[in-house]
Amino acid sequence: MELLSDQGLRLDGRRPEELRNIRCKLGVFSQADGSAYLEQGNTKVLATVYGPHQPRGQSRNKAPHDQVFVNCQYSMAVFSTGERKRRPRGDRKSQEMSIHLRQALVAAIRTELYPRSQLDIFVEVLQADGGNYCACVNAATLALVDAGVGMREYAVACSASLANGEVALVDVSHLEESSGGSNLTVATLPVSGQVALMEMSQRFHSDHLPKVLERAIEGCKDIHQILDGAVRKHVEETGRASGWGQVDRAGIAL
Amino acid sequence: MKEAPYSNIEKNFLKKALGEKKRLDGRQFDERRNLKINFGKEYGCCHVALGDTRVLAQISSEIQQPKSTRPNEGHIYVNVEFSPMSAEHVEPGKPSEDCVVVNRVLEKCLRESKCVDLESLCIIADEKVWTLRVDITVLNMEGNIIECSSIAALAALAHYRRPDVTSTGERIIVHDYSEKEPIQTSLHHYPICLTYAIFNKGKQIVADPTLIEEQTAEASLSVGMNAYRELCGLHLGGLALSDHTSILKVVQKAGIAAADIVQTIKKSLAEDEEARSKNEVVGLSVCIRAGRITTLCDQRMKVKVNSQSIQAAAEKLVAQNRVNKHTKWDDEGNETESGPSNKIIVNLGDCSAELQDASDQEMEESSDGEEADEDDDEDDDMEAEENKAEEQEDNVEEPKKDTNDDEDDDSEEEPVVLEQPKISPKKEFNKKKDKKNKSAKKTAHQASMEAGSDDELQVVQELTKEEKDRMKKVETLVLDDSEEEGTTTLTAGEMEVPSKKQISTPRSKQQRKRKKNQNQNQNQNRKNGQKPGGARQWYAQNAW
């Protein structure tokens, strides 16, 4: 299957540098300290954040004395894929996902602000359609913002692939993943341009790496803008409800 | 048990050294550790040593039903296990996070890069396919497990042969190796995961990191790469951030290194093939006998030193006529030169310490105005043993004279442990006699001795005056039979009554001097905590 048609369109009609539609909402749960829902095309993810709180259970031993212990849990709903399948949280892929989630988020969180405490981040994939990891990082970032956890900047992830051996594609969908495209996932802090995590599967020539990596980082920057817009809008809405941000003509808060 | 972290002092030292373009073990930034690949007797068994990191890979296969989505493809399954013997903090049971990461990286490297021709593993489409299982056991963790395991896995896959199969309509016959020539697994390409540690925001990038480098590094990058410079998986770990330009730099470097390693693998495969075709005995037991895979037997310190500079220093000391160290080892841990004729001061694996000690020794000797001129070589054990026996006799009178004065001093002293790797039955006998001697019992020295213990007497410590005096008065010998397995703990008094039956030969001052040195060394070694490498080295020398 050709990943890119002669007209330069992808299987789902996007252009190579085009992201899927992103919709997101902050503060979807009342119990959690922070929560977010994010759709990236057909990939749908829920993220919740609890904490920072006192370390509990096993993590009491793991928690370092000078920074917060970040506990991430990735899980996929049984109905998230075409094939209904029970996925115990202990399986290797989700374990790997949890480790990678933590790696990317710890890079963004100001861990030194919360010594001797624990931060729980739970992410659930409701519908999987490629780019699960990216959607999870982005949703978790929004949930962290909602929880008011101190962060250096947004942690944003994006994937990229290579079509026809030369054109880099951004934000890979499940169809593109399974029809043989290699997949490079990058988690970045987009403002400073630093890479927190990079992961690649399948195979392409190393000469193409700069191109693909560049495309993925650009994708991250685009996603960052969208997320930032959503956060601003959310703050505005919640702030307005409480009368926050309104000033009279003399500049005094009402 | 938690993994013991390195101290900030050690880490800062390492970082500072890297800033000066130096690594702790003397390698260049791009230089990898010594790679040794050995194959087992069975097909698909491979032991890889990358420096001191050891990994064992074993391939096995069975016939299974294929997945309905891919009816004409076999499977490959990768399983990595950290053996509890590999490091202190590894516990049996649920795989640790590190283990999961290594496992996934290897899976990506081997399976998702499609290096194995899975279609060739099909026997009957939709019914029977071969499943290859790659079991990797990490035996010793000394950094860079990913690279070592990926080399082991790949070499084992290339080495493995599965039994031939014929299908006769309904039945499938799996032929024994003796019936039909087994079939090699066909590999499309040879991907290897190369690991780099990134320091100082990408300013220093180090290939093949050791344990301390891994723990100190800000990030580590594993690059799956084959000889054609195709990327087959990539993993950036660590909690620090890195610039993406440094990543690209690493990937460029990895291409060359990968081709190099693939060459090494192919070479060792060809050697093994040749040995098998000549009907030579192959397998890990042969390697063990040849001393090729015993851990740490070859080097006591992991520092690579410029042997020429040491040689020069040695020559200088020889010129000053103050030298009495003569043992030299090659990389395999075999002794290459020894004896008084050699004018080499140090064990080359252990330069700085040895030089220092040599100077200590000089001081001691010059103060004694005597020169002890013999070698402390293990091979001379028997000879030494005789000498010691003579020494015993020699010292008979002395303790007797001094026992009373001596007792006070000695009883205050801490128990001193002396170790000798070999013993003749005669000696054992002597010792038993000694035990009976009541006067000796008061100043009992406790001695515990492990079989094959430290026999290295190269480190000669400066004698304190007290100790010297004591050594003259007291000759304590604790002897151990190295042929006995297990540990013997003996309590022995001062050696006073050696058997008169023993042959007495004229003893020289030299011998006595040497004896003292040896004892002193052993005391010192024990007090300072034994050198871990010593016992192993001795064992490597003498066991086979």
Side-chain angles (χ1 to χ4, degrees), chain B residues 391-392 395-411 413 416 418 440 443-445 466-477 492-496 515-516 519-520 523:
Chain B
E391 288 298 321
Q392 280 185 340
N395 285 300
V396 174
E397 292 89 5
E398 284 177 320
K400 270 184 181 169
K401 284 180 217 155
D402 299 319
T403 322
N404 293 330
D405 313 27
D406 212 27
E407 273 170 12
D408 296 328
D409 291 342
D410 280 337
S411 52
E413 299 253 351
V416 180
L418 299 177
T443 52
H445 290 245
E466 271 187 354
E467 280 167 338
K468 266 194 249 171
D469 290 341
R470 188 166 55 77
M471 289 313 294
K472 278 176 192 164
K473 292 169 196 162
V474 185
E475 279 290 342
T476 308
L477 257 190
E494 293 162 39
M495 286 296 185
E496 295 192 3
K515 175 71 183 166
K516 265 183 264 168
N519 278 344
Q520 190 59 39
N523 289 343

Side-chain angles (χ1 to χ4, degrees), chain A residues 61 92-93 95-96 100 102-103 107 194-195 198-207 209 213 217, chain B residues 2 78-79 97 103-104 107-108 112-113 228-231 233-238 241-242 247:
Chain A
N61 307 326
R92 266 195 211 138
K93 268 193 184 162
Q95 248 179 305
E96 187 205 17
H100 287 171
R102 186 170 83 212
Q103 190 182 329
Q194 287 169 309
V195 179
M198 194 155 86
E199 190 67 47
M200 199 209 99
S201 57
Q202 307 209 0
R203 157 164 76 122
F204 59 78
H205 199 273
S206 57
D207 288 351
L209 181 67
L213 185 58
I217 289 173
Chain B
K2 262 191 177 176
V78 184
N79 184 44
E97 276 192 3
N103 208 329
R104 285 291 299 160
E107 249 174 51
K108 275 182 187 150
E112 292 177 24
S113 73
Y228 315 113
R229 291 184 48 241
E230 281 176 316
L231 272 176
L234 194 82
H235 178 256
L236 177 70
L241 308 153
S242 35
I247 294 165

Side-chain angles (χ1 to χ4, degrees), chain B residues 171-183:
Chain B
R171 285 179 63 217
I172 292 174
I173 304 160
V174 180
H175 295 285
D176 197 63
Y177 282 3
S178 53
E179 277 175 50
K180 256 187 171 181
E181 193 72 1
I183 307 163

Side-chain angles (χ1 to χ4, degrees), chain B residues 363-426:
Chain B
M363 285 164 65
E364 182 207 318
E365 268 153 24
S366 54
S367 70
D368 279 18
E370 208 179 302
E371 187 167 330
D373 194 26
E374 19 357 42
D375 55 318
D376 299 326
D377 192 5
E378 282 82 12
D379 289 341
D380 291 354
D381 273 341
M382 292 312 291
E383 216 184 293
E385 217 52 60
E386 281 174 20
N387 290 339
K388 275 169 218 154
E390 292 153 23
E391 288 298 321
Q392 280 185 340
E393 283 193 328
D394 188 25
N395 285 300
V396 174
E397 292 89 5
E398 284 177 320
K400 270 184 181 169
K401 284 180 217 155
D402 299 319
T403 322
N404 293 330
D405 313 27
D406 212 27
E407 273 170 12
D408 296 328
D409 291 342
D410 280 337
S411 52
E412 279 166 26
E413 299 253 351
E414 282 187 9
V416 180
V417 179
L418 299 177
E419 295 156 350
Q420 298 296 129
K422 284 197 175 179
I423 182 174
S424 60
K426 262 190 219 165

